[in-house]
Amino acid sequence: MKKLILRVAVYVMMFIILFGGVGAFGYIRSNKEYWIPTRPTPVPALQAVSVPEHNPKKPTVAVLLSNPTTEVFDFMVPYELFAMTESYNVYAVAPDKELKTLSGGLDLMPHYSFDELDRLLGKSPDLIVIPAMPMVDEAKYKPIRQWIQKHADTKLLSICAGALNLADTGLLNGKEAATDWKSFEYGEVAKYPETNWRRDLRYVADGNIVSSAALTSGIDAVLYVISQQLGEPMAEKIAKEIHYPSYSFVKNPEIQPYHMDRTEVAYTLNRAFQWNVKSTGVLLYNGMDDGALTTIFDTYAASGTTKVHTVSDAKQPIVTKYHLNLVTRYNMSNAPKLDRMLVPGVEAETSAAEDIKQWHAKNNTVVPEFIHSGSADRFMFDAPLEDLAKQEDVQTAKYGIKRLEYRVTNLNFEGNPFSYEAFGIPILLTLAALLTAFYMDRRFIRKIRRGRHPSTISN
């Protein structure tokens, strides 16, 4: 009986070491690279940051940036939507004026520090947008919490897991709120039992606070706020301009909650066992569309299959269509080896024409791809999600839709049904664990048994 237990223990141990150990290492590394992407090149000497002109007659929206990182969609898309109205002063604000990073590796400079914006306004901003921001480093995160608490009486809008950041301030105590579906599945909401968490709504309005569920639910919440402050026609206008197909949720945010399913398995295996990670460049150019850029990071980089690198030959920040200041990680001469070069934006072929010429002039052989070409009448995430299915597999793209909480069924996914690598490597590791355990069983455990046999006879 003892030998049987020992043999079982060896098989289990080998499985844990080879399958569990390799998988855990891969998952942690991949997750860290997405959420805390280390800048591989020095920050260039920046002469100036372009700041939108302040109009004291307009209400001010402050969209938060944190250290070490902020979720890219949660920051970029609300920023763009409010700016599109041309009825607000919209600023990227942070505890300080140092370079900030969005998930997936997009670097940018804030317009104002907290103190600078407070001095400029002489009062609270009219609206503070709170994206998902990791709270792993208390010393770096503390100023975020304190600034939100300082302006607790103003209008607050949390996007996705930004509701956890808002709950952390205590301002959601006794209130209803929404957050992303994974926060429910992973038990994150249990840390804040004094909040009445709603899983069946895309957004919740309670007093001066509006909170949204996962990612694209933030679009509904932003449009709801715009409809309340600027009127329904303005909200409808913005939705039409971005070709958002789910405006019905703005009027009725009720949904059937998401839960973990087989697409979650595909995502987890991609994170843990996708060893052939694609190296994809994204070309940054002045005047580029903020939302279109977001789709590259929150589709490819978020899938666990692709490492995205920003590329440009600009010596100063790239200024987007809505006045964000992006700082490139690589210039065209020192870019890492790339599998693809994506140029986002429906007008990229003309807007980035000079940058494309420079790319070719540097003898780069990777052909730029205009990922949004021909998609002028489609929502900005549609083409990248369909392309992800071709680059990787259908299950990965389906999880991309679910992660975004993008509730559509009309996308055309063509590609492998699932990732042969992400599913195949675990099978190979399991076989390796079984063979290793079998060898140890034959080589050592059975030897122990034979070695004891003579002493048993002599007795």
Side-chain angles (χ1 to χ4, degrees):
M1 185 64 180
K2 290 182 179 180
K3 295 182 182 67
L4 177 61
I5 294 174
L6 179 60
R7 295 171 77 179
V8 170
V10 168
Y11 279 86
V12 171
M13 182 180 65
M14 287 298 101
F15 180 79
I16 292 174
I17 291 174
L18 287 178
F19 181 89
V22 171
F25 174 79
Y27 188 93
I28 293 170
R29 182 186 63 179
S30 175
N31 206 44
K32 183 178 179 181
E33 286 180 351
Y34 178 72
W35 274 107
I36 311 177
T38 303
R39 184 179 175 90
T41 55
V43 179
L46 304 176
Q47 296 177 355
V49 172
S50 178
V51 179
E53 183 179 354
H54 182 73
N55 185 339
K57 296 181 180 180
K58 293 181 179 180
T60 295
V61 177
V63 188
L64 300 188
L65 289 166
S66 183
N67 292 316
T69 189
T70 304
E71 211 291 325
V72 59
F73 182 107
D74 295 359
F75 171 84
M76 294 282 285
V77 173
Y79 177 95
E80 178 182 49
L81 296 183
F82 282 116
M84 287 176 70
T85 68
E86 299 182 347
S87 298
Y88 298 95
N89 301 303
V90 187
Y91 301 124
V93 296
D96 54 59
K97 293 287 291 291
E98 299 300 317
L99 184 79
K100 305 302 174 192
T101 299
L102 303 180
S103 55
L106 180 61
D107 296 331
L108 74 164
M109 299 296 295
H111 295 127
Y112 292 108
S113 69
F114 290 160
D115 289 342
E116 287 175 337
L117 187 64
D118 286 342
R119 288 195 297 269
L120 174 69
L121 300 178
K123 61 181 183 65
S124 294
D126 298 275
L127 173 65
I128 296 175
V129 179
I130 304 168
M133 298 171 283
M135 296 180 278
V136 294
D137 190 323
E138 172 61 19
K140 291 182 178 180
Y141 182 75
K142 185 177 179 180
I144 294 282
R145 181 190 302 112
Q146 292 178 332
W147 196 73
I148 296 172
Q149 291 170 332
K150 177 181 178 181
H151 299 291
D153 293 333
T154 197
K155 190 78 171 179
L156 302 173
L157 169 59
S158 68
I159 308 295
C160 193
L164 302 179
N165 299 93
L166 189 51
D168 176 69
T169 66
L171 298 178
L172 283 180
N173 290 352
K175 292 182 177 291
E176 288 193 341
T179 188
D180 70 306
W181 61 271
K182 289 199 293 184
S183 293
F184 289 94
E185 294 292 291
Y186 297 166
E188 294 293 323
V189 297
K191 298 176 182 177
Y192 308 101
E194 295 184 34
T195 300
N196 180 17
W197 296 102
R198 296 293 302 270
R199 192 169 186 166
D200 59 339
L201 297 173
R202 297 269 288 185
Y203 68 86
V204 173
D206 190 340
N208 67 315
I209 295 176
V210 178
S211 54
S212 82
L215 296 168
T216 59
S217 299
I219 296 177
D220 305 326
V222 171
L223 293 176
Y224 167 77
V225 171
I226 290 173
S227 72
Q228 296 299 299
Q229 296 187 345
L230 304 179
E232 188 77 27
M234 177 61 81
E236 291 179 341
K237 175 178 177 290
I238 299 303
K240 288 178 181 178
E241 286 183 6
I242 65 171
H243 304 284
Y244 183 53
S246 304
Y247 189 79
S248 58
F249 287 128
V250 178
K251 296 182 177 181
N252 179 15
E254 293 184 8
I255 52 170
Q256 289 294 321
Y258 278 151
H259 297 274
M260 289 186 180
D261 60 17
R262 62 183 182 181
T263 59
E264 188 78 14
V265 174
Y267 169 75
T268 302
L269 293 179
N270 278 334
R271 285 281 186 209
F273 300 108
Q274 185 70 263
W275 294 350
N276 183 31
V277 175
K278 310 298 185 299
S279 178
T280 296
V282 56
L283 184 67
L284 303 187
Y285 57 94
N286 285 308
M288 71 187 312
D289 182 83
D290 307 63
L293 175 61
T294 305
T295 67
I296 307 303
F297 290 90
D298 245 324
T299 299
Y300 300 93
S303 70
T305 67
T306 308
K307 178 72 173 176
V308 177
H309 310 280
T310 54
V311 179
S312 170
D313 261 4
K315 301 297 188 292
Q316 292 301 310
I318 294 288
V319 181
T320 68
K321 183 177 182 179
Y322 294 106
H323 239 92
L324 288 175
N325 294 261
L326 310 177
V327 182
T328 311
R329 291 197 166 193
Y330 294 97
N331 61 47
M332 295 181 185
S333 299
N334 74 348
K337 184 178 179 181
L338 300 176
D339 299 299
R340 304 179 70 183
M341 169 60 88
L342 302 181
V343 191
V346 295
E347 299 178 354
E349 291 184 67
T350 54
S351 300
E354 289 302 316
D355 301 88
I356 296 296
K357 287 182 180 178
Q358 292 180 34
W359 173 255
H360 289 304
K362 301 286 185 179
N363 297 318
N364 291 297
T365 57
V366 178
V367 178
E369 301 174 54
F370 302 98
I371 191 67
H372 292 99
S373 179
S375 299
D377 59 347
R378 304 185 72 191
F379 183 54
M380 56 192 171
F381 274 93
D382 290 356
L385 284 166
E386 289 177 345
D387 182 74
L388 182 64
K390 294 177 182 178
Q391 176 185 294
E392 300 300 330
D393 59 90
V394 172
Q395 283 300 318
T396 295
K398 284 184 176 180
Y399 178 78
I401 286 183
K402 182 178 178 181
R403 177 183 173 273
L404 290 164
E405 201 159 328
Y406 183 34
R407 293 177 182 254
V408 294
T409 58
N410 63 338
L411 298 188
N412 182 27
F413 288 155
E414 299 176 355
N416 295 326
F418 59 88
S419 171
Y420 300 137
E421 179 179 0
F423 281 81
I425 289 176
I427 293 174
L428 292 176
L429 288 172
T430 300
L431 290 174
L434 290 173
L435 290 173
T436 303
F438 179 75
Y439 171 79
M440 294 180 68
D441 180 13
R442 296 291 298 268
R443 181 72 176 82
F444 299 107
I445 298 177
R446 295 193 182 189
K447 239 181 181 182
I448 292 173
R449 181 175 161 190
R450 288 197 299 268
R452 288 178 179 175
H453 185 64
S455 62
T456 302
I457 295 175
S458 65
N459 288 336

